[in-house]
Amino acid sequence: MGARIGRMVRNFNLENRTFREISKEKPTAAPRHAAEAPPPAVMSEVKQKNEPLLGLLRSVYVESTDPAAAETEASAQEPGVQAVERRPLKYNFPGPMMGLTELTDVPKGKLTVAEALKALGGHHHQPHTWTPEKIAQEYSLDLKDTQAALKYFIPFRVEIIPPKSKTAKQITDS
């Protein structure tokens, strides 16, 4: 009930109050601080040409190319050859996954999320069967990158850090 009355008071004669506020003259800005003009000696130095600097500037040559134009030129030179080799997908999640269902192949040296989870899970559960060499061969990956991913990317391990004080609540397994 109080909100309804407050809204009625707030919206009373709203158009007239708005028009009155808009039609008011805007406040004038505060006057700027008077600044002293620089001495004439400084002004003359600023306006003079510095020949050594101009010579250095003339020696600089910048050549710029558009990366998109370079790609189109490369593809125009070799019309039948793709720049990146592609491989068919090994594993896919069932159903639409973030709108990527039309994905049928990926570049060599890359993985989809489904393939990465399958490879990491296989190595985690069966490290003797899913060796880094086998994963690298299966997915056309670099062996060094595969070993680094298996060593540093561990999505299935949960670590519970004990609290610093004895009085803090702790999550139990039961």
Side-chain angles (χ1 to χ4, degrees):
M1 182 73 177
R4 183 178 275 175
I5 293 172
R7 194 177 317 118
M8 288 174 52
V9 170
R10 195 171 51 242
N11 292 338
F12 176 74
N13 204 10
L14 184 65
E15 289 181 19
N16 287 340
R17 289 187 292 144
T18 306
F19 182 74
R20 201 176 324 133
E21 194 65 34
I22 290 173
S23 63
K24 282 183 183 177
E25 282 192 37
K26 306 297 182 262
T28 58
R32 294 191 170 266
H33 181 71
E36 296 180 15
V42 173
M43 289 302 291
S44 65
E45 283 183 32
V46 168
K47 291 184 179 181
Q48 287 179 355
K49 289 185 179 179
N50 191 337
E51 289 302 323
L53 288 178
L54 280 175
L56 290 173
L57 185 59
R58 286 188 187 110
S59 68
V60 173
Y61 178 73
V62 177
E63 185 175 321
S64 176
T65 58
D66 187 15
E71 288 177 13
T72 56
E73 288 175 8
S75 64
Q77 291 172 357
E78 301 170 340
V81 179
Q82 273 187 323
V84 178
E85 293 184 43
R86 299 183 75 81
R87 63 171 179 79
L89 289 179
K90 300 275 184 201
Y91 302 100
N92 204 355
F93 281 128
M97 181 73 175
M98 296 183 280
L100 298 177
T101 54
E102 66 274 357
L103 200 64
T104 57
D105 59 349
V106 292
K108 287 192 175 183
K110 306 274 183 182
L111 287 176
T112 64
V113 173
E115 290 174 330
L117 290 175
K118 182 77 173 172
L120 289 169
H123 179 72
H124 180 73
H125 294 297
Q126 301 169 345
H128 298 294
T129 307
W130 286 90
T131 62
E133 293 81 15
K134 180 181 178 188
I135 293 172
Q137 181 186 10
E138 182 93 10
Y139 295 105
S140 303
L141 300 172
D142 185 32
L143 181 61
K144 181 179 162 188
D145 294 338
T146 306
Q147 289 172 340
L150 293 174
K151 181 178 179 183
Y152 295 112
F153 187 77
I154 307 170
F156 304 108
R157 188 169 72 189
V158 177
E159 292 186 16
I160 298 175
I161 300 169
K164 292 181 180 178
S165 66
K166 300 270 183 190
T167 59
K169 293 183 179 180
Q170 177 70 25
I171 298 174
T172 59
D173 292 336
S174 57

CSV table of all heavy atoms in Angstrom, one decimal, residues 160-170:
chain,number,residue,atom,x,y,z
A,160,ILE,N,41.3,-30.9,-1.7
A,160,ILE,CA,40.7,-30.2,-0.6
A,160,ILE,C,41.8,-29.7,0.2
A,160,ILE,O,42.6,-30.4,0.8
A,160,ILE,CB,39.7,-31.1,0.2
A,160,ILE,CG1,38.6,-31.6,-0.7
A,160,ILE,CG2,39.2,-30.3,1.4
A,160,ILE,CD1,37.7,-32.5,-0.1
A,161,ILE,N,41.9,-28.4,0.3
A,161,ILE,CA,43.0,-27.7,1.1
A,161,ILE,C,42.5,-27.6,2.5
A,161,ILE,O,41.5,-27.0,2.7
A,161,ILE,CB,43.4,-26.4,0.5
A,161,ILE,CG1,43.8,-26.6,-1.0
A,161,ILE,CG2,44.4,-25.7,1.3
A,161,ILE,CD1,44.0,-25.3,-1.8
A,162,PRO,N,43.3,-28.1,3.5
A,162,PRO,CA,42.8,-28.0,4.9
A,162,PRO,C,42.9,-26.5,5.3
A,162,PRO,O,43.7,-25.7,4.9
A,162,PRO,CB,43.8,-28.8,5.6
A,162,PRO,CG,45.0,-28.9,4.8
A,162,PRO,CD,44.5,-28.8,3.4
A,163,PRO,N,41.9,-26.2,6.2
A,163,PRO,CA,41.9,-24.8,6.7
A,163,PRO,C,43.1,-24.5,7.6
A,163,PRO,O,43.7,-25.4,8.2
A,163,PRO,CB,40.6,-24.7,7.5
A,163,PRO,CG,40.3,-26.1,7.9
A,163,PRO,CD,40.9,-27.0,6.8
A,164,LYS,N,43.4,-23.2,7.7
A,164,LYS,CA,44.6,-22.8,8.5
A,164,LYS,C,44.3,-22.9,10.0
A,164,LYS,O,45.1,-23.1,10.9
A,164,LYS,CB,45.0,-21.4,8.2
A,164,LYS,CG,45.6,-21.4,6.8
A,164,LYS,CD,46.1,-20.0,6.5
A,164,LYS,CE,46.7,-19.9,5.0
A,164,LYS,NZ,47.1,-18.6,4.6
A,165,SER,N,43.0,-22.6,10.4
A,165,SER,CA,42.7,-22.7,11.8
A,165,SER,C,41.9,-23.9,12.1
A,165,SER,O,41.2,-24.5,11.3
A,165,SER,CB,41.8,-21.4,12.2
A,165,SER,OG,40.6,-21.4,11.5
A,166,LYS,N,41.9,-24.4,13.4
A,166,LYS,CA,41.2,-25.6,13.8
A,166,LYS,C,39.7,-25.3,13.9
A,166,LYS,O,38.9,-26.3,13.9
A,166,LYS,CB,41.8,-26.0,15.1
A,166,LYS,CG,43.2,-26.3,15.1
A,166,LYS,CD,43.4,-27.8,14.8
A,166,LYS,CE,44.9,-28.1,14.9
A,166,LYS,NZ,45.3,-29.3,14.4
A,167,THR,N,39.3,-24.1,14.1
A,167,THR,CA,37.9,-23.8,14.3
A,167,THR,C,37.1,-23.7,13.0
A,167,THR,O,35.9,-23.7,13.0
A,167,THR,CB,37.7,-22.5,15.1
A,167,THR,OG1,38.3,-21.4,14.3
A,167,THR,CG2,38.4,-22.6,16.5
A,168,ALA,N,37.7,-23.6,11.9
A,168,ALA,CA,37.0,-23.5,10.6
A,168,ALA,C,36.3,-24.8,10.3
A,168,ALA,O,36.8,-25.9,10.6
A,168,ALA,CB,38.0,-23.1,9.5
A,169,LYS,N,35.2,-24.7,9.6
A,169,LYS,CA,34.4,-25.9,9.2
A,169,LYS,C,35.1,-26.6,8.1
A,169,LYS,O,35.7,-26.0,7.2
A,169,LYS,CB,33.0,-25.5,8.8
A,169,LYS,CG,32.2,-25.0,9.9
A,169,LYS,CD,30.8,-24.7,9.4
A,169,LYS,CE,29.9,-24.1,10.5
A,169,LYS,NZ,28.6,-23.8,10.1
A,170,GLN,N,35.1,-27.9,8.1
A,170,GLN,CA,35.8,-28.8,7.1
A,170,GLN,C,34.8,-29.7,6.4
A,170,GLN,O,33.9,-30.2,7.1
A,170,GLN,CB,36.9,-29.6,7.8
A,170,GLN,CG,37.6,-30.5,6.9
A,170,GLN,CD,38.5,-29.8,6.0
A,170,GLN,OE1,39.0,-28.7,6.2
A,170,GLN,NE2,38.8,-30.4,4.8
